Amino acid sequence: MTYSNEDSLICSKCGKSNDAGSLFCNNCGNSLKKEEVIEEASTTQTEYINDSSKNYTDEELNLFLEKNQLYYMEKFRVIESTGSKVSWNWCSFLISGYWMFYRKMYIQAILYIVANFVLGLIPFIGWIGNIALWICAGLFGNYFYLEHVKKQFCEISCADSSNRSMLIQKRGGTNIVIPIILLIIPVVIGIIIAMFFAALGTMSYYYY
């Protein structure tokens, strides 16, 4: 049980005090579920829908997401409660491939980049296809991520409790390294090309 007063929630696991609107304990990550609604509370608590068909708990999902948990849990809740796959995500729209790599959706990221590259080779129609692909990534990014999360938990569902948390952290979370490398590579290539043409221009000057 989680104990509450007008301004805070007391975690039943570690005993730490948390803001009244908190979903998880800031100290241990334990789910904070209020037993009753406190009318005098300054904020309301958004609770993730409990679904018996899920093979993961709210705490495990919180651990898997690692960053922006409240945002994605709310998006997932809406997707599952309404059945709609459409849920706008600005990151998946503006930096689609980088966002997918960042969220460890490696296969989806590679397919997206390949599709963008192929469409970019087709004049006019391909460019329109690229724009459509960006928009689709923004519209369905959260849904694709939810499906990715479900797949990862399905694959570790048979793991024993001692290894489960470790597997969740390994398969979930974020990976900032790959997006940074992908950002650096074009810059390095551009510098090399610029140096090559500069050297070529210098050689031409001396010969002529």
Side-chain angles (χ1 to χ4, degrees), residues 9 28 32 36 60 63 82 135-136 147 150 167 176-177 181 202:
L9 293 173
C28 68
L32 302 175
E36 58 180 341
E60 289 176 335
L63 180 63
T82 63
I135 295 174
C136 287
E147 291 300 305
K150 289 180 177 179
L167 289 173
I176 192 62
V177 176
I181 292 174
T202 303

Side-chain angles (χ1 to χ4, degrees), residues 17 34 38 70 85 89 97 104 109 145 189 198:
S17 176
K34 299 174 69 174
I38 308 299
L70 294 181
K85 299 178 182 179
N89 186 317
K104 296 187 177 181
Y145 188 35
I189 293 175

Side-chain angles (χ1 to χ4, degrees), residues 112-142:
Y112 179 86
I113 291 174
V114 170
N116 254 309
F117 176 77
V118 173
L119 288 172
L121 299 176
I122 306 173
F124 303 113
I125 296 178
W127 302 337
I128 295 174
N130 275 331
I131 296 174
L133 199 60
W134 289 335
I135 295 174
C136 287
L139 289 172
F140 300 104
N142 291 321

Side-chain angles (χ1 to χ4, degrees), residues 14-173:
C14 68
K16 293 293 183 180
S17 176
N18 299 270
D19 294 336
S22 300
L23 287 173
F24 297 93
C25 177
N26 295 325
N27 183 58
C28 68
N30 182 46
S31 178
L32 302 175
K33 296 179 180 178
K34 299 174 69 174
E35 299 297 323
E36 58 180 341
V37 177
I38 308 299
E39 293 183 358
E40 295 83 1
S42 59
T43 58
T44 57
Q45 179 181 10
T46 303
E47 297 183 358
Y48 190 70
I49 293 179
N50 290 318
D51 186 353
S52 58
S53 64
K54 293 191 304 181
N55 56 359
Y56 53 86
T57 65
D58 290 354
E59 290 86 353
E60 289 176 335
L61 179 59
N62 182 58
L63 180 63
F64 185 95
L65 295 174
E66 187 180 64
K67 298 181 182 297
N68 295 332
Q69 292 97 325
L70 294 181
Y71 171 83
Y72 284 108
M73 290 181 74
E74 175 62 18
K75 292 293 184 179
F76 293 169
R77 184 192 68 79
V78 173
I79 291 172
E80 293 190 323
S81 62
T82 63
S84 174
K85 299 178 182 179
V86 177
S87 176
W88 187 258
N89 186 317
W90 279 107
C91 286
S92 64
F93 169 67
L94 295 173
I95 51 174
S96 310
Y98 297 105
W99 173 76
M100 293 175 189
F101 275 119
Y102 178 70
R103 283 292 168 179
K104 296 187 177 181
M105 295 188 285
Y106 302 127
I107 296 176
Q108 296 91 327
I110 292 172
L111 291 174
Y112 179 86
I113 291 174
V114 170
N116 254 309
F117 176 77
V118 173
L119 288 172
L121 299 176
I122 306 173
F124 303 113
I125 296 178
W127 302 337
I128 295 174
N130 275 331
I131 296 174
L133 199 60
W134 289 335
I135 295 174
C136 287
L139 289 172
F140 300 104
N142 291 321
Y143 171 75
F144 292 148
Y145 188 35
L146 174 58
E147 291 300 305
H148 169 75
V149 170
K150 289 180 177 179
K151 180 181 178 182
Q152 297 304 312
F153 274 107
C154 183
E155 292 178 355
I156 63 174
S157 60
C158 296
D160 57 78
S161 57
S162 60
N163 294 326
R164 188 172 173 87
S165 295
M166 180 186 68
L167 289 173
I168 291 173
Q169 289 179 309
K170 183 178 179 180
R171 289 173 175 255

